[in-house]
Amino acid sequence: MSKKSVRPSDEFLSPKHKSHRARQERMDRIAKISTYGVIGLVVSILVFGALYEYSWKPNKAVARVGDQKITLADYQGLYAYRAVTLWDELSTLNDYVDYFNSSEDLSFLVSTYESEIETVQQEIQELPTTVLDELLNYAIARREAEARGIVITDEEVQLEVESTFGYDREADAASATAIAAAETITATLVPTATTVPTAIVTDSITTTETVTATVEATATPTEVPMTQEEYETTADSYFTSIEAASGYTKEDLYKLVENSLYLEAVQNAIMAEAPTTAEQIYLWRMAFDTEEEAQTARELVLAGASFEEMAQEREENLDMSVSAEVGWVPAAQMSDALAEVAFALEVGETSEPVETSNGWELLKVTDQAEDMELDEYSLSLVQEDAADAWFAEQRAADDVKSYWTSSMIPDL
């Protein structure tokens, strides 16, 4: 029978063995502490990573407008949504180009759609900064709306969403009888031609036939408005597909619509404050392909030729797309390069050749007014410029801060 191993008590151990045992116990404690420490560190890292990824990182500030914070989640969410919609548009345009290229009769449309493709591609490239500016504008608009007492209600947001999908509550609520009639009008009424014997008295009685004209009336169906059920089906399908493609939820889209309405309301308020009068000049212009052509024409004018007659002749003979007699025009209606030259001219003076994106031009001012009422088109341009300038000024304010870096662009 084997003897049971018994750990000797410390009193029977030599000093050497006691020291060894103490050292071993210390090593065991250190090992346990180290093990628990590693486990705790791993858990802490996992917890920290989860908190950073799902709580701190999404709430990281990309920019601030006063006390409003634009978070990384805001930025990356809108970026993904805009990117997906632009990619979808690009795909559709490419499909059109392929289709038009396959048809000789429609091939002339290819260049138009290729130009649109270039525009969309440019928008995609600029997306990182345009999304940031869009979010800044929304925050600025909401702050200004609060200052002006502008309030967008949930009902207004809902109506805007419905309108986006083509749903009209009033049309849907029209008489059920009228809707049913609009859906069922398909019959074409064609009265049958009839012959009516007519007695004509002459030297002898002769019977002839008079044929009545055929009347063909076709009822034109009335367009049937979208029903609430159709709207809900269409909208839900869109919300689902967008969330699957970009992660942007229905709630995000509703918030985006609300922001857009605030932005529109503030823009309208600022545009309403824009001046309705401005300095204007009565302008004539001639367009040329080269600087040499423009300079030659200018020398003829300086030698006594009529600028106006030369401009009209070029417009008529060369089928120019640029109108020779522009008429009264404010600076807002012109490019910056042309406006800078034109508004520096004296009445009756002809400019030096001016380079534009389409070639070269000569300008002549024949009249000038310091404060003239703007026409509807010019006023709309002045108002748009006023709103753009106001938002640009606000984005440059001291309490508007941007912390954006390219690392914030999401991987899609």
Side-chain angles (χ1 to χ4, degrees), residues 156-169 226 231:
E156 289 175 299
V157 173
Q158 182 60 39
L159 287 172
E160 182 65 19
V161 172
E162 292 172 3
S163 175
T164 300
F165 287 98
Y167 177 59
D168 185 338
R169 292 186 189 180
M226 176 183 283
Y231 155 68

Side-chain angles (χ1 to χ4, degrees), residues 278-281 328-334 343 374 378 382:
E279 179 186 1
Q280 299 186 53
I281 54 175
W328 288 105
V329 58
Q333 199 170 325
M334 306 173 66
F343 278 80
L374 294 164
S378 298
V382 169

Side-chain angles (χ1 to χ4, degrees), residues 393-412:
E393 181 181 354
Q394 294 300 310
R395 289 195 299 272
D398 292 339
D399 65 344
V400 177
K401 307 291 185 182
S402 174
Y403 314 109
W404 181 90
T405 65
S406 59
S407 64
M408 295 177 176
I409 300 173
D411 296 325
L412 302 176

Side-chain angles (χ1 to χ4, degrees), residues 259-334:
N259 283 334
S260 300
L261 290 175
Y262 271 111
L263 178 62
E264 182 182 1
V266 171
Q267 286 175 329
N268 289 338
I270 293 169
M271 290 192 293
E273 297 167 355
T276 59
T277 62
E279 179 186 1
Q280 299 186 53
I281 54 175
Y282 200 93
L283 185 67
W284 288 77
R285 66 198 298 191
M286 282 191 279
F288 303 89
D289 293 330
T290 67
E291 183 180 10
E292 290 74 18
E293 290 177 315
Q295 187 60 47
T296 299
R298 182 173 187 275
E299 291 172 0
L300 290 173
V301 171
L302 295 178
S306 168
F307 187 105
E308 293 86 334
E309 291 178 2
M310 287 177 60
Q312 288 177 329
E313 184 178 350
R314 286 184 62 80
E315 181 182 1
E316 294 169 1
N317 295 343
L318 301 179
D319 191 24
M320 303 292 290
S321 59
V322 176
S323 176
E325 186 176 8
V326 179
W328 288 105
V329 58
Q333 199 170 325
M334 306 173 66

Side-chain angles (χ1 to χ4, degrees), residues 185-190 216-221:
I185 294 178
T186 55
T188 300
L189 305 177
V190 183
E216 185 172 324
T218 303
T220 303

